[in-house]
Amino acid sequence: MVMIWPCPLSLSSYAAAGRQIRVPAQACPGCKRPLTGWGGYWRWVRAERLPAERIWIRRGWCAYCRRTQALLPSFLFVRRLDADTVIGWALEQAAGGRGARPIARLLALPHTTVRDWWRRVRARTPTL
């Protein structure tokens, strides 16, 4: 499972902290008991005008439910390489009428990546 926590740090500050990153206490989404530290894993993230960086994602463990949670900082999306600022800017451009290919060229990404973001948002809009 994945939990997103409100991270006040920028991507570069978060990345600089490495494995020393501090995540505030979190509660298990299932039973609401506190999670304990459970290591973590490295993940790649790509930000605007920066090369892809590896950042440390903390994991939390619920002793009662016996489940672990990946604790993602709020500037990341589940299963997405790009940070929220990149995806948000691209979606604003698409909503304004710009096509996926021109946006992708500006971001130096495959047009299929931008197209998939737009499709995902359109599919989820009724529930948002």
Side-chain angles (χ1 to χ4, degrees):
M1 301 263 322
V2 176
M3 292 177 60
I4 298 176
W5 61 279
C7 180
L9 302 174
S10 67
L11 172 59
S12 56
S13 300
Y14 187 98
R19 292 179 83 154
Q20 306 307 315
I21 193 71
R22 298 269 185 239
V23 177
Q26 301 293 316
C28 174
C31 68
K32 306 298 182 222
R33 291 188 168 98
L35 297 175
T36 58
W38 196 255
Y41 61 93
W42 291 102
R43 172 184 162 161
W44 289 99
V45 62
R46 183 171 50 202
E48 195 174 354
R49 289 181 238 107
L50 295 173
E53 291 187 75
R54 281 181 60 190
I55 62 171
W56 183 253
I57 302 296
R58 289 254 175 242
R59 291 191 70 79
W61 182 66
C62 178
Y64 184 77
C65 297
R66 298 195 175 277
R67 291 187 175 181
T68 62
Q69 309 287 331
L71 305 173
L72 289 184
S74 55
F75 55 79
L76 293 180
F77 291 106
V78 177
R79 295 186 202 101
R80 296 285 179 237
L81 173 64
D82 296 286
D84 61 351
T85 54
V86 176
I87 295 173
W89 181 85
L91 294 175
E92 285 176 1
Q93 296 299 307
R98 186 173 270 178
R101 288 179 194 273
I103 295 169
R105 255 187 253 108
L106 288 171
L107 294 172
L109 295 174
H111 82 278
T112 54
T113 300
V114 176
R115 182 193 64 203
D116 290 346
W117 294 340
W118 185 238
R119 284 181 178 170
R120 180 77 171 172
V121 165
R122 283 194 324 226
R124 296 286 183 162
T125 299
T127 60
L128 298 176

